[in-house]
Amino acid sequence: MTQYRAIRGMNDILPEETPLWQYLEQQVRLLLGSYGYSEIRLPLVEQTELFSRGIGEVTDIVEKEMYSFPDRNGDSLSLRPEGTAGCVRAVCQHSLATVVQKLWYSGPMFRYERPQKGRQRQFHQVGVEAFGIESADIDAELILLSARLWKNLGIDGQLELQLNTIGSAETRTAYRAALVEYLRDFEGVLDEDSVRRLDTNPLRILDSKNRSTQRLLDNAPALLDYLDTSSAEHFQQLQELLRAVGLDFTLNQRLVRGLDYYNRTVFEWVTDALGAQGTVCAGGRYDSLVQQLGGKATPAAGFAMGMERLVLLLQGLGDAPVTANPADVYFVAAGEGAQKLAFQIAEQLRDQLPERQLLVHCGGGSFKSQMKKADKSGASLAVILGDQEVSDGTAGLKKMRHADAQGRQQTLLQSELAGQICELLKQEG
RNA sequence: GUGGCCGUAGCUCAUCAGGUAGAGCACCGGAUUGUGGCUCCGGAGGUGGCGGGUUCGAGACCCGUCGGCCACCCCA
């Protein structure tokens, strides 16, 4: 029984899983680079106020999910529950938005929630943000690059794009009033959470999972009818751009986001392969956030993707796209002299083959047990050194998993070893 | 925060009217002298999450607690 456990909801990513994470991160990095986005690295901790002002005081994230604590000087700090607020803060602080900025970041986020499939208390997001562009083309680009990432990862078949617009602040004020007026009449039949939201955040009622609430909404006023003309045009342009490149999407009028800063475009990539946490990537436009956080008015749009959820999708692919790297050469060394010799030869070989994985056996043991380790390492070649080789200047070189038992092992001079290994590895590619 | 299911070796799990625990995989060693993969033999490894209760006796029953999973909620 282990004495210490990781904090609930904060999981270790074990060596077995890291190759898949590295693969995912690499694909993300390449793709974002190809669209001209630059990485920005941000602190995990910010002033609590940045989040309450940015995300919204009455959102669940701020109300009950933040890890907040007083700093030693009494300031209230919080572990970031999302990345956009901090990114906007950095953009303002360093006056980055004097020109168009296309940025991305990745790292852990923290929310105090009950863990379940696809949901941790410490989880990882990659966020992508574009500052300084008001037109719908950047909305389209953000969506297109995410679509391309799914394709590159081979998970595009499992994802569907849902799209909506929530218009301007005025749109929502007017619509909110109409929606509340409509729903008040059904207060008796609404589910408990939706009743509460009538006062706090009525738009969130739209994406309630409650079936009877959803039925009530069938006859509710539609946000589209309250849309201001420029938002309507913006939305129209976005759809045209997406259609122009043949990207499928579903209009979902009940799609609203849980963070207050969004306006106009909102979108989600959803899957039914992950149980209840089906949103893998989501975002939208947030034109007033920069100004709201003290910067110059700057239009902006962005999205975030949940890395754990993407990893789950990749793992579900069956054919694991990545596995652990097998070794190339394993040095079996029995005896003190052989150990020294193995290190010498291996170090020399590392100069010539920096890309190859060379393992020198450590920890002693019989030839037999060392050979077992060599086999398990996946190495294609084993170098065998013992007292005899030390004294006569030779080395055994064995091709592991070689069909022909006869030609499997050769004895050669130590001076020939490096050249022969290079040659054999080159043959294998 | 609420609810359902679950908690036995590193991992996956079993056993039994309640009588103080097993298998497979993994690990270690051996099967002729210094050599892997297959097979065979052997070994190590568990205060049965923790605490309390019922009982002559509990891993098995009851209560509590902690933890896990899933769902609500929330959201990436």
Side-chain angles (χ1 to χ4, degrees), chain A residues 8 30 32 63 108 203 207 258 261 263 266 323 389 393 397 410:
Chain A
R8 157 177 270 208
L30 287 172
L32 290 166
E63 273 185 336
L203 292 189
D207 63 4
Y261 50 65
N263 68 298
V266 292
T323 50
E389 286 79 0
L397 180 59
Q410 54 187 310

Side-chain angles (χ1 to χ4, degrees), chain A residues 340-351:
Chain A
K340 286 176 189 158
L341 187 57
F343 274 133
Q344 286 165 2
I345 298 173
E347 285 302 315
Q348 180 203 335
L349 205 53
R350 288 180 208 278
D351 290 335

Side-chain angles (χ1 to χ4, degrees), chain A residues 329 348-354 356 358 381 397 416-429:
Chain A
V329 184
Q348 180 203 335
L349 205 53
R350 288 180 208 278
D351 290 335
Q352 297 171 46
L353 297 170
R356 296 293 189 164
L358 315 181
L381 295 174
L397 180 59
E416 304 167 330
L417 191 57
Q420 183 64 13
I421 288 173
C422 292
E423 190 58 37
L424 288 173
L425 288 178
K426 201 179 295 175
Q427 283 173 21
E428 295 203 1

Side-chain angles (χ1 to χ4, degrees), chain A residues 273-294:
Chain A
L274 295 183
Q277 308 301 321
T279 302
V280 160
C281 170
R285 182 162 277 281
Y286 50 93
D287 291 319
S288 52
L289 183 61
V290 176
Q291 188 169 31
Q292 193 179 322
L293 292 179

Side-chain angles (χ1 to χ4, degrees), chain A residues 116-133:
Chain A
Q116 68 183 73
K117 189 180 175 75
R119 190 170 81 183
Q120 289 86 9
R121 290 182 174 180
Q122 174 176 332
F123 60 103
H124 298 80
Q125 287 188 339
V126 166
V128 184
E129 320 280 2
F131 296 93
I133 301 173

Side-chain angles (χ1 to χ4, degrees), chain A residues 62 87 139 155-156 202 232 420:
Chain A
V62 169
C87 186
D139 307 39
I155 55 175
D156 49 323
Q420 183 64 13

